Amino acid sequence: MIKYKKVCFIMLVICLLQMGIIANAKENNGLLQYLETVAQGGPIYEVILDGSGDFTSIQEAVQQVESGATLLIYPGVYEEHVEIINKTVNLIGASRDDCILISDTTDYHHIPLTVGAGTIYNMTICGSNPTKENIVPYIERDYDSTDSASVYNWQSKFPGYAIHIDQDYSYGKELLIEGCRIISDSNQCVGIGCRGWNTITFSDCQFFSNGGGCVFLHNTQSPDANGEAYFTMKDCELRNYWCPYVISVQSTGSLNPIYLTFQNVKVSTVAYETKHSYKSDNMNTWFSLDQLNNPEVKEHLKAEGYYTALDGELIQYCDSEARKNLRIKRNRESLLEDWPDFEEGIHYIRKTETKNDQIQNLTLKGEPGVRQIIDINNAKLDDPKDGWCGLHNIYLTQQSFGNTLIEMNFPRTELRKETE
């Protein structure tokens, strides 16, 4: 265990340099300062696979250390699922590229990281899918929300997230996930259930999804966990290679209002020309992808101060061959390999109309499944509200700016004044 004494820091510096974990004094000082800030004078334990630290397993450490402790994770591939439940344990990786937590997410209830509060920093967290089966975009909600067993069984129909944030321990607490790479080959990269007076922040993170999108977020309907919640994503990159929805947000009612802030969020995602991939009950009231290409709509948005931070066209039309180049091959040996380049923006993939599409009325003239890349749901499916993109009691804050997607940016008043 590392104590907060100068001599111990010097010894830690020497150890990290010798192991090649940090390459220079500047990098070293940054890591140690971050470690000291997060630990706030509390105990720091070392997790090293070769047995030379306090623990060889992250989960073993989580189970044994006291709430408020900090774990310094040394380089290695940690094949385990870590559950930080009803306590705060900070995980600080020595290197994002070399500190890797990975687990099979075929089972929704058995995933790489479950956490409610604290700080997660400088790691790669990867949800693998050995079966090579991607998540079905949508399964009907056929559970009794008042029966935990019913909810559990319904959830079991899905593969798991890479990170799951959904426990009552989060009430009144803060969670910061910073400088991490989050990869999912199954469900969304991150699944989040907010609680009252809960603050969740993602900063300088990369999300790579070859499954169900990048983020799923919902509030709670529990009277015991009511109160405002705050979700912030800043300086992040979202890459969604497969699912038609890059983000899904669900409101369960009015007990737990959420305030969303997006800052400098770069999005690279796909959209499809046919409608079978889109949910008919998506309640998103924002403009569809087809409307966004209408010159009159573009002018209207500009006049109202709405904008995209992307240079060039937001929507890029691609053919089916381009889709093949974007899509990750399911037989790739490892999700930790380099991911293919993916330009910022919405890659709208054209698909040749098939006879089956015509029969099911799923083509451009069909009614179901308006093409929007953010999925919105409220408790009452027939009742859009005045929140963000039609949500009930979930709102975008004025501090939102610099994002790829127009709807993530709070309209700039100076642009509106220019047109008046």
Side-chain angles (χ1 to χ4, degrees):
M1 182 177 72
I2 303 169
K3 295 290 187 179
Y4 272 112
K5 295 180 181 178
K6 188 173 182 180
V7 64
C8 289
F9 272 115
I10 293 173
M11 292 174 63
L12 177 60
V13 172
I14 295 172
C15 177
L16 294 177
L17 285 169
Q18 288 177 340
M19 295 183 67
I21 297 172
I22 51 179
N24 53 56
K26 183 178 180 180
E27 184 179 353
N28 159 64
N29 289 336
L31 175 61
L32 292 184
Q33 288 175 5
Y34 196 95
L35 191 64
E36 183 175 7
T37 300
V38 170
Q40 298 181 344
I44 303 174
Y45 300 87
E46 294 174 304
V47 180
I48 309 176
L49 286 171
D50 67 8
S52 59
D54 301 296
F55 302 97
T56 59
S57 159
I58 301 174
Q59 182 60 29
E60 176 193 11
V62 166
Q63 290 173 337
Q64 295 192 34
V65 303
E66 59 271 47
S67 185
T70 298
L71 305 181
L72 176 59
I73 314 298
Y74 280 67
V77 178
Y78 296 82
E79 297 187 36
E80 52 181 309
H81 65 287
V82 175
E83 295 183 339
I84 308 175
I85 299 175
N86 295 328
K87 68 191 317 186
T88 299
V89 178
N90 306 307
L91 306 182
I92 309 299
S95 166
R96 182 180 72 174
D97 292 335
D98 300 318
C99 296
I100 299 164
L101 172 61
I102 185 169
S103 179
D104 176 358
T105 52
T106 304
D107 184 346
Y108 179 91
H109 302 286
H110 186 109
I111 65 174
L113 178 61
T114 299
V115 63
T119 297
I120 313 297
Y121 174 72
N122 211 26
M123 299 178 64
T124 290
I125 301 166
C126 183
S128 67
N129 189 346
T131 65
K132 308 303 180 187
E133 294 291 335
N134 287 86
I135 181 174
V136 176
Y138 182 60
I139 295 177
E140 292 291 339
R141 292 191 291 272
D142 56 353
Y143 60 86
D144 178 358
S145 60
T146 63
D147 182 356
S148 58
S150 174
V151 174
Y152 186 96
N153 291 333
W154 178 77
Q155 290 172 335
S156 298
K157 299 177 181 179
F158 294 89
Y161 311 108
I163 299 178
H164 197 186
I165 307 162
D166 190 357
Q167 53 181 289
D168 288 343
Y169 180 78
S170 298
Y171 184 88
K173 296 182 176 65
E174 297 185 11
L175 172 65
L176 170 63
I177 299 180
E178 184 172 11
C180 290
R181 181 178 295 119
I182 307 163
I183 301 172
S184 177
D185 207 25
S186 296
N187 208 324
Q188 282 96 342
C189 293
V190 180
I192 304 167
C194 291
R195 298 295 189 274
W197 312 112
N198 173 211
T199 298
I200 298 172
T201 302
F202 288 88
S203 176
D204 189 27
C205 289
Q206 293 179 314
F207 298 74
F208 294 170
S209 175
N210 191 36
C214 292
V215 177
F216 173 60
L217 172 72
H218 68 83
N219 56 10
T220 182
Q221 57 184 348
S222 169
D224 296 329
N226 61 6
E228 297 178 355
Y230 304 89
F231 174 86
T232 298
M233 180 175 285
K234 59 183 180 180
D235 302 321
C236 290
E237 178 185 8
L238 310 183
R239 292 194 200 179
N240 174 44
Y241 292 84
W242 178 250
C243 182
Y245 299 112
V246 64
I247 295 177
S248 295
V249 185
Q250 178 181 356
S251 173
T252 62
S254 59
L255 295 177
N256 181 210
I258 303 176
Y259 295 91
L260 307 172
T261 301
F262 300 102
Q263 297 178 351
N264 303 318
V265 176
K266 179 179 178 181
V267 175
S268 304
T269 190
V270 295
Y272 304 113
E273 191 168 46
T274 54
K275 296 194 173 192
H276 65 277
S277 295
Y278 296 91
K279 291 165 50 179
S280 59
D281 59 358
N282 178 10
M283 302 175 71
N284 196 327
T285 56
W286 182 251
F287 295 93
S288 70
L289 299 183
D290 302 297
Q291 291 172 321
L292 285 175
N293 269 337
N294 185 317
E296 293 182 1
V297 172
K298 288 182 178 180
E299 287 301 315
H300 168 74
L301 291 173
K302 182 179 179 181
E304 292 298 314
Y306 288 96
Y307 68 101
T308 170
L310 173 65
D311 292 331
E313 290 295 324
L314 174 63
I315 301 174
Q316 305 167 31
Y317 284 93
C318 309
D319 57 20
S320 57
E321 185 63 30
R323 175 185 178 181
K324 293 178 183 178
N325 294 331
L326 286 173
R327 179 179 168 187
I328 307 297
K329 292 183 178 179
R330 294 187 184 186
N331 60 355
R332 64 201 303 259
E333 293 183 1
S334 172
L335 292 178
L336 303 177
E337 298 173 0
D338 290 338
W339 285 63
D341 293 334
F342 199 5
E343 285 185 53
E344 182 180 359
I346 300 169
H347 296 254
Y348 202 161
I349 299 166
R350 298 184 183 278
K351 180 179 178 183
T352 303
E353 184 176 317
T354 67
K355 196 168 193 179
N356 189 53
D357 290 332
Q358 295 173 351
I359 293 172
Q360 297 186 48
N361 197 27
L362 296 172
T363 60
L364 295 176
K365 296 180 181 180
E367 180 64 27
V370 175
R371 289 178 297 281
Q372 289 161 319
I373 59 171
I374 296 179
D375 177 33
I376 299 297
N377 274 282
N378 291 321
K380 293 183 178 180
L381 298 179
D382 59 345
D383 190 15
K385 297 293 184 178
D386 62 354
W388 185 57
C389 294
L391 282 163
H392 181 204
N393 240 26
I394 299 180
Y395 306 99
L396 186 71
T397 71
Q398 296 185 32
Q399 290 73 42
S400 299
F401 59 82
N403 307 294
T404 302
L405 300 183
I406 301 176
E407 60 267 48
M408 282 186 177
N409 294 311
F410 200 84
R412 296 193 296 205
T413 54
E414 63 268 23
L415 290 182
R416 290 203 299 269
K417 289 178 181 177
E418 290 175 4
T419 60
E420 292 175 353

